[in-house]
Amino acid sequence: MQCYDEASIQSLFQQVTDRFGAINILLNTWTGTEIPHLLSPTSITDFNLIMQKSAASFFIFGKVAAEFMQYQPHQSVIINLALSHENHHPHTPTTSKTVVSGLTQNWANELASLNIRVGGIVPINLQDKHHEQHTIVNVPMQDEIARNVEYIVRNDSFNGRMLESEIGV
């Protein structure tokens, strides 16, 4: 059973810190789905469920990471990754992209004075066929995301912005 309450996540971060030392990079993944249509009969229930499952855990991980990172003598980075099953539509704004972009910009402004940068990545699959139908992110996209993570970590001026990871047709 997955447990995403704040106390459990704080305990997890403390265990990681105790075992490996300071946490200075978090890859925080939003795995939400699209919000329901406004006029669907179950839209309110569906929306609340999506926000409870996806947004709450994403937000808690970001909050707890920032609490641990704020006292580090070196710069830290939170990288927000917007994943959803809808990432294969390249020109349609998704809930994942919108939510993660907004939180990335807000957190970057809030955490800048604490020496914590925040960047974001949105994978966009432009390929005609999916390599692995059972996964959200196929292997070529995983490689592209890893390159983007490295770019954000190495680029000290990258803060409050989003990258779109694309793999070609």
Side-chain angles (χ1 to χ4, degrees):
M1 178 179 166
Q2 294 178 336
C3 188
Y4 291 128
D5 64 88
E6 189 172 353
S8 297
I9 294 171
Q10 284 174 334
S11 175
L12 172 67
F13 272 73
Q14 188 61 57
Q15 290 172 28
V16 170
T17 300
D18 292 346
R19 182 159 184 193
F20 300 106
I23 296 171
N24 51 343
I25 300 172
L26 172 71
L27 182 58
N28 192 20
T29 306
W30 168 281
T31 56
T33 59
E34 289 301 295
I35 59 173
H37 292 284
L38 185 60
L39 299 178
S40 76
T42 60
S43 63
I44 300 299
T45 302
D46 295 344
F47 178 80
N48 286 336
L49 186 61
I50 288 167
M51 289 298 119
Q52 182 182 13
K53 285 185 173 182
S54 298
S57 62
F58 182 83
F59 195 88
I60 293 169
F61 270 94
K63 178 184 187 291
V64 172
E67 289 172 347
F68 275 79
M69 292 172 171
Q70 70 181 327
Y71 301 110
Q72 301 303 320
H74 46 75
Q75 190 173 70
S76 297
V77 182
I78 297 173
I79 301 170
N80 293 327
L81 178 61
L83 291 182
S84 77
H85 292 286
E86 287 76 22
N87 285 127
H88 61 276
H89 298 295
H91 303 294
T92 306
T94 65
T95 302
S96 298
K97 179 179 180 179
T98 303
V99 170
V100 170
S101 179
L103 289 174
T104 296
Q105 291 170 3
N106 287 335
W107 294 356
N109 290 333
E110 180 180 352
L111 301 175
S113 65
L114 301 174
N115 208 20
I116 301 170
R117 292 185 296 113
V118 185
I121 301 171
V122 178
I124 298 174
N125 190 350
L126 299 176
Q127 292 185 333
D128 292 332
K129 60 182 181 179
H130 297 284
H131 294 285
E132 300 173 23
Q133 294 293 335
H134 61 283
T135 62
I136 294 176
V137 181
N138 58 40
V139 173
M141 181 59 78
Q142 291 172 19
D143 292 340
E144 182 64 16
I145 290 169
R147 282 190 289 279
N148 281 282
V149 166
E150 181 180 15
Y151 175 80
I152 292 170
V153 169
R154 289 180 182 265
N155 187 340
D156 290 341
S157 65
F158 194 98
N159 193 32
R161 295 182 285 153
M162 300 291 292
L163 292 176
E164 290 185 347
S165 293
E166 298 178 0
I167 49 177
V169 180

